């Protein structure tokens, strides 16, 4: 794919690769073990402009294209998928949506510090009873004077503990189904807004995930994003962007697992030769390399379509679906190639296997991606 990249895109890819190797890799194993949030790393990513990569410089972003963002996400996630998801949420789910649909007040007050990476964002759509069927919001927002009063609960929120600004979805008119949902910008520290206990997760353990609760939490009218009743459309459009972000994260995980498996297979000997020379292993490596390339091409295609101002919904879903399933498969094969060594922390492929699984679940499960792709194909 390199032949399609511009000099600038290659430079961003190289910068991300160097940064991941020097600044992230040394602490990845320990942070995963201790479920420790990578605060210092996020601050350094902010200095590189990686927390608001695609935001226009007039809102303090780095003004890069989507292909560059995907390349950077792949390199970061190759070394640490937890850092990848924190970066992805701030870029794809928070700053992207605020720039496109936020009012000027929101852009000045919230988007700018988010794009500079001085503040961190979270996207609070899921609820205990509203995951894939996001229309079933139980959180309510009731108008009172010139503010809205939020009550309810959110679940599985990435950056939930460490974010400063939260995009929160609530039902403002139940009778209108999805047209009765509205998105609000809520600041941490707003009275009535509390964060739950951090989840103890299988993978991406260095990122934080928790529930949020709202009890008579008052949010000013100007913090309505887009407009009242547009929350579901906002969520759907934003998640399209999230999906090429997660696709990039998944490609990165697969790249990391493959590279380790390849190196190991070229060194480890069994039955008188390096195991890479046995067809059982060589064929696995061939499939892994091919599938990663296909996932990468699908992902960059979705990003290039977005950069060209074209429709990319189907392509983003295809990229997310294929890349996430590839990540799980490649990481599993990487563990298999490592044998017993693959099952212990030191060799890192076990973490990649654990980290890969969530990419098939969050920002739309594989089953949801198949619905989106299927509906698009039938409508065309
Ligand atoms: N992009 C833009 N708009 C979309 C869209 C997409 N991918 N999918 C649906 N919409 C819009 C439709 O155009 C429609 O808009 P209008 O009624 O204003 O014309 C509206 O959303 C409702 O569409 P639909 O009736 O198709 O919605 P459904 O309830 O059938 O749900 C799916 C559609 C399954 C695609 C949606 O619920 C979904 O994406 N669910 C997954 C949610 C998710 O990712 N959760 C994870 C939380 S974040 S970790």
């Amino acid at each position: 794919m390199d032949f399609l990249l511009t000099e600038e895109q290659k430079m961003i890819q190289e910068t991300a690769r160097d940064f991941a190797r020097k600044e992230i890799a040394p602490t990845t194993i320990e942070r995963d073990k201790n479920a420790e949030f990578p605060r210092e790393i996020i601050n350094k990513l902010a200095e590189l402009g990686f927390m608001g990569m695609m935001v226009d410089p007039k809102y303090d972003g780095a003004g890069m294209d989507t292909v560059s963002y995907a390349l950077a996400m792949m390199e970061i996630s190759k070394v640490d998928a937890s850092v990848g998801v924190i970066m992805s949420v701030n870029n794809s789910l928070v700053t992207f949506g605020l720039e496109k649909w936020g009012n000027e007040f929101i852009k000045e007050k919230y988007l700018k510090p988010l794009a500079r990476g001085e503040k961190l964002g979270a996207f609070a759509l899921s609820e205990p009873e509203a995951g894939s069927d996001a229309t079933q919001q139980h959180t309510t927002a009731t108008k009172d004077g010139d503010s809205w009063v939020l009550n309810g609960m959110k679940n599985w929120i990435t950056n939930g503990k460490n974010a400063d600004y939260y995009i929160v979805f609530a039902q403002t008119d139940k009778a209108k189904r999805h047209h009765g949902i509205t998105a609000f910008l809520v600041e941490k520290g707003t009275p009535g807004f509390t964060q739950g206990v951090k989840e103890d997760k299988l993978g991406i353990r260095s990122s934080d995930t928790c529930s949020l609760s709202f009890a008579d939490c008052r949010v000013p009218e100007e913090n309505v994003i887009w407009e009242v009743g547009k929350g579901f459309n906002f969520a759907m459009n934003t998640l399209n962007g999230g999906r090429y972000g997660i696709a990039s994260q998944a490609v990165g995980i697969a790249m990391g697992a493959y590279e380790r498996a390849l190196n190991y297979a070229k060194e480890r000997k069994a039955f008188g030769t390096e195991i890479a020379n046995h067809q059982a292993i060589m064929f696995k490596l061939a499939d892994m390399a091919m599938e990663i390339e296909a996932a990468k091409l699908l992902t960059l295609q979705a990003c290039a379509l977005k950069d060209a101002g074209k429709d990319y919904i189907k392509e983003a879903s295809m990229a997310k679906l294929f890349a996430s399933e590839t990540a799980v498969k490649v990481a599993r094969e990487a563990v298999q190639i490592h044998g017993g060594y693959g099952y212990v922390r030191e060799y890192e492929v076990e973490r990649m296997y654990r980290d890969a699984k969530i990419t098939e679940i969050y920002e739309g499960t594989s089953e949801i991606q198949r619905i989106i792709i299927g509906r698009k194909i039938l409508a065309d």
Side-chain angles (χ1 to χ4, degrees):
M1 187 72 197
D2 273 3
F3 63 94
L4 285 179
L5 301 181
T6 63
E7 283 311 309
E8 195 187 345
Q9 288 164 346
K10 283 187 199 163
M11 200 186 75
I12 292 162
Q13 183 182 39
E14 196 57 42
T15 304
R17 190 176 294 150
D18 272 5
F19 181 85
R21 188 168 45 83
K22 289 186 196 139
E23 305 284 347
I24 303 179
T27 54
T28 300
I29 295 176
E30 273 310 293
R31 279 184 293 97
D32 168 69
K33 196 168 161 185
N34 303 327
E36 186 192 328
F37 190 80
R39 177 55 73 185
E40 270 181 42
I41 291 170
I42 298 303
N43 292 345
K44 287 181 184 167
L45 280 173
E47 285 167 23
L48 288 178
F50 279 14
M51 295 305 283
M53 288 188 79
M54 294 165 288
V55 177
D56 192 313
K58 98 172 167 193
Y59 296 115
D60 295 349
M64 298 177 202
D65 62 14
T66 316
V67 168
S68 301
Y69 164 62
L71 293 167
M73 269 295 298
M74 288 173 194
E75 294 300 330
I76 302 290
S77 304
K78 181 177 162 190
V79 168
D80 191 330
S82 292
V83 176
V85 74
I86 297 164
M87 183 177 144
S88 167
V89 166
N90 207 66
N91 277 280
S92 310
L93 292 187
V94 179
T95 56
F96 166 66
L98 294 185
E99 182 173 19
K100 194 137 191 210
W101 291 285
N103 57 38
E104 278 309 313
F105 167 79
I106 284 179
K107 288 184 193 176
E108 280 299 318
K109 184 166 181 194
Y110 301 110
L111 174 61
K112 282 186 168 181
L114 285 164
R116 290 195 297 269
E118 289 165 11
K119 300 285 184 190
L120 188 65
F123 184 84
L125 176 66
S126 296
E127 296 190 355
E129 291 173 66
S132 290
D133 187 1
T135 58
Q136 299 306 306
Q137 299 282 306
H138 286 233
T139 298
T140 57
T142 314
K143 190 83 194 281
D144 182 31
D146 56 2
S147 51
W148 290 85
V149 180
L150 271 63
N151 281 287
M153 185 158 185
K154 297 288 170 183
N155 250 21
W156 324 118
I157 307 306
T158 306
N159 296 344
K161 280 259 173 225
N162 283 280
D164 304 283
Y165 303 146
Y166 298 73
I167 295 177
V168 181
F169 296 84
Q171 194 72 250
T172 43
D173 187 347
K174 193 154 179 56
K176 292 186 176 158
R177 195 184 171 251
H178 66 279
H179 288 137
I181 294 171
T182 303
F184 299 88
L185 195 309
V186 185
E187 290 185 39
K188 180 182 256 166
T190 306
F193 172 28
T194 48
Q195 291 86 40
V197 175
K198 195 165 88 172
E199 301 289 354
D200 190 10
K201 304 187 300 256
L202 173 73
I204 55 163
R205 291 175 52 79
S206 169
S207 71
D208 66 313
T209 308
C210 71
S211 60
L212 309 174
S213 36
F214 301 89
D216 291 332
C217 172
R218 196 169 279 273
V219 179
E221 171 74 38
E222 59 263 37
N223 284 26
V224 168
I225 303 167
W226 197 348
E227 56 189 71
V228 173
K230 284 286 190 189
F232 189 76
N233 298 80
F234 174 75
M236 291 297 108
N237 281 295
T238 309
L239 280 166
N240 293 329
R243 284 163 190 157
Y244 55 69
I246 299 307
S248 308
Q249 183 201 25
V251 170
I253 297 170
M255 281 162 43
Y258 165 74
E259 196 175 284
R260 282 171 188 281
L262 180 67
N263 290 340
Y264 181 82
K266 287 201 286 193
E267 280 169 16
R268 170 77 175 175
K269 288 192 175 143
F271 305 104
T273 184
E274 288 77 16
I275 61 170
N277 295 327
H278 296 298
Q279 264 192 4
I281 303 299
M282 191 200 293
F283 282 12
K284 278 190 200 298
L285 291 167
D287 285 348
M288 290 156 84
M290 174 187 67
E291 284 162 19
I292 291 169
E293 200 61 21
K296 193 171 169 186
L297 287 167
L298 274 176
T299 304
L300 294 182
Q301 172 186 248
C303 296
L305 284 170
K306 175 172 172 270
D307 285 336
K310 301 210 165 128
D311 186 2
Y312 61 94
I313 297 177
K314 181 181 73 190
E315 289 76 9
S317 281
M318 284 182 168
K320 201 261 183 192
L321 174 60
F322 189 78
S324 57
E325 293 190 348
T326 297
V328 171
K329 184 178 163 196
V330 167
R332 187 183 64 234
E333 292 291 47
V335 172
Q336 191 68 16
I337 289 170
H338 278 78
Y341 292 104
Y343 210 65
V344 295
R345 273 185 204 278
E346 191 189 339
Y347 284 77
E348 301 203 61
V349 285
E350 62 81 34
R351 186 192 72 248
M352 292 167 182
Y353 188 27
R354 289 187 282 106
D355 286 351
K357 184 58 205 169
I358 191 63
T359 65
E360 292 182 319
I361 298 173
Y362 58 19
E363 301 196 26
T365 60
S366 293
E367 292 74 14
I368 289 292
Q369 304 313 323
R370 287 186 167 89
I371 291 177
I372 296 169
I373 297 164
R375 284 185 184 175
K376 278 270 175 198
I377 290 168
L378 295 177
D380 282 347

